[in-house]
Amino acid sequence: SFDAIKQFETQVAEYFGASHGVAVDCCTHAIELCLRYQGIQHFTVPKRTYISIPFLAQKLNIDFEWRDEAWMTTIIWATPIL
């Protein structure tokens, strides 16, 4: 049953004041949904990135360019949203 997922999506949408919430299995698929929704045709990709992003561009037939970018380590602490 997808009731738990639907409930989660509804709670996230309500929390952010959005009409819909969409749960995905990974960040790459979330980025894919955004690229499709926005109709993006070109973007730049840092040379130090997850390989899934340029592969995603190829999958969606989106032109991309590599760019040099200063690398910085960032620590993200998990905090509850709901």
Side-chain angles (χ1 to χ4, degrees), residues 49-66:
T49 191
Y50 292 105
I51 195 71
S52 63
I53 302 304
F55 281 165
L56 179 59
Q58 288 180 333
K59 172 186 172 184
L60 299 177
N61 202 25
I62 296 174
D63 293 324
F64 71 94
E65 295 176 46
W66 295 107

Side-chain angles (χ1 to χ4, degrees), residues 8 17 29-30 37-39 43-46 50 56-57 59 64 66 71 74 76 82:
F8 174 74
H29 292 147
Y37 181 77
Q38 293 290 323
F43 62 87
T44 61
V45 180
Y50 292 105
L56 179 59
K59 172 186 172 184
F64 71 94
W66 295 107
W71 183 255
T74 303
I76 300 174
L82 302 174

Side-chain angles (χ1 to χ4, degrees), residues 6-73:
K6 182 64 178 163
Q7 182 181 5
F8 174 74
E9 290 174 334
T10 300
Q11 287 178 342
V12 169
E14 289 173 359
Y15 181 83
F16 287 101
S19 59
H20 295 85
V22 178
V24 294
D25 63 328
C26 66
C27 293
T28 302
H29 292 147
I31 292 170
E32 179 176 353
L33 290 176
C34 293
L35 292 171
R36 288 178 182 272
Y37 181 77
Q38 293 290 323
I40 302 298
Q41 296 300 312
H42 177 83
F43 62 87
T44 61
V45 180
K47 288 182 178 178
R48 294 183 181 194
T49 191
Y50 292 105
I51 195 71
S52 63
I53 302 304
F55 281 165
L56 179 59
Q58 288 180 333
K59 172 186 172 184
L60 299 177
N61 202 25
I62 296 174
D63 293 324
F64 71 94
E65 295 176 46
W66 295 107
R67 75 172 184 270
D68 287 316
E69 189 171 295
W71 183 255
M72 184 177 78
T73 302

